[in-house]
Amino acid sequence: DTAVSQTPKYLVTQMGNDKSIKCEQNLGHDTMYWYKQDSKKFLKIMFSYNNKELIINETVPNRFSPKSPDKAHLNLHINSLELGDSAVYFCASSLGLTQYFGPGTRLTVL
Amino acid sequence: DQQVKQNSPSLSVQEGRISILNCDYTNSMFDYFLWYKKYPAEGPTFLISISSIKDKNEDGRFTVFLNKSAKHLSLHIVPSQPGDSAVYFCAASNSNTGNQFYFGTGTSLTVIP
């Protein structure tokens, strides 16, 4: 009965590859997010969707493309991976002003 | 341009004593503040929040204090327990501009038994 789940938990890949991270929430929330936590532990928002519509799109390379097939899912696709993309990516959903986070996906680009 | 700062990366406290974690922000438009707790290999979990109309909010052993004039908030945990050992993130938002949250870099709390 996990509230916010992400797959995979770990992802190791070569530079230049394309990869996706999936996120699902079973809380019935309308808003979902993607955050990136870099090596300095700074947790920074990347995207936010409300009812499948993009509402926040921070300064993120266009190699990153979120996809929301329905309001319970927000997937993150990354093209042409670079070394600097190595980080932990967290998905979250919210009801009001409280966010619920997934366990994170540790992406390592070699 | 980090708008939320946690200047202490780590803190060690004896079990039973008070833990005080601090957070500073720069944007005077922030009106809602939250604390999250994070264990290794898990996502952050919501702990406690406070609106700018209050200066204190208490929930069991956890109390958050807000000083708007100083743009400072703090989380007090008393008494501290070994299970409180985790990374604590402060977050802030302007509730009028949508659900955009700004996080600090976290403070790693170790409660020594």
Side-chain angles (χ1 to χ4, degrees):
Chain A
D1 59 344
T2 307
V4 183
S5 59
Q6 295 178 229
T7 52
K9 194 164 174 66
Y10 299 96
L11 185 53
V12 181
T13 188
Q14 298 285 336
M15 251 184 359
N17 284 351
D18 302 339
K19 290 293 177 187
S20 292
I21 308 171
K22 295 186 177 179
C23 177
E24 177 181 1
Q25 54 97 2
N26 61 6
L27 298 166
H29 293 166
D30 286 340
T31 309
M32 295 185 73
Y33 311 78
W34 276 108
Y35 284 86
K36 178 181 180 182
Q37 186 181 33
D38 59 24
S39 57
K40 295 179 182 174
K41 307 300 182 190
F42 187 35
L43 195 63
K44 188 171 164 64
I45 192 166
M46 300 172 70
F47 302 102
S48 174
Y49 270 70
N50 183 272
N51 245 330
K52 303 195 300 174
E53 287 193 25
L54 182 67
I55 56 171
I56 294 173
N57 183 357
E58 286 296 290
T59 308
V60 175
N62 57 15
R63 299 182 293 104
F64 290 78
S65 51
K67 294 274 193 308
S68 184
D70 54 62
K71 75 174 194 178
H73 295 85
L74 181 62
N75 303 324
L76 183 64
H77 188 77
I78 316 169
N79 288 329
S80 303
L81 278 155
E82 300 177 357
L83 293 175
D85 298 332
S86 295
V88 181
Y89 292 84
F90 289 100
C91 176
S93 69
S94 71
L95 178 66
L97 292 171
T98 301
Q99 294 184 318
Y100 297 81
F101 284 83
T105 296
R106 182 174 291 278
L107 170 65
T108 303
V109 182
L110 304 174
Chain B
D1 62 338
Q2 205 171 327
Q3 300 189 53
V4 178
K5 296 178 184 178
Q6 293 175 256
N7 292 319
S8 298
S10 62
L11 175 67
S12 289
V13 171
Q14 286 289 132
E15 181 178 3
R17 305 292 291 268
I18 184 170
S19 296
I20 300 176
L21 295 95
N22 293 305
C23 178
D24 297 295
Y25 60 96
T26 57
N27 189 338
S28 57
M29 299 303 292
F30 288 150
D31 61 359
Y32 195 75
F33 305 88
L34 309 94
W35 284 94
Y36 285 83
K37 177 178 179 178
K38 184 184 179 305
Y39 291 117
E42 294 183 11
T45 54
F46 171 72
L47 192 57
I48 193 169
S49 62
I50 189 167
S51 162
S52 61
I53 62 172
K54 292 185 167 185
D55 53 19
K56 176 182 173 181
N57 188 25
E58 193 171 350
D59 183 2
R61 296 185 298 113
F62 302 91
T63 304
V64 56
F65 294 92
L66 176 62
N67 182 334
K68 290 187 288 293
S69 59
K71 296 193 183 69
H72 177 84
L73 64 156
S74 60
L75 175 68
H76 292 210
I77 307 172
V78 54
S80 301
Q81 299 173 355
D84 296 330
S85 297
V87 177
Y88 289 80
F89 289 95
C90 167
S93 171
N94 177 349
S95 59
N96 295 318
T97 59
N99 294 349
Q100 184 150 5
F101 294 83
Y102 296 85
F103 282 79
T105 48
T107 296
S108 178
L109 173 66
T110 303
V111 179
I112 304 163

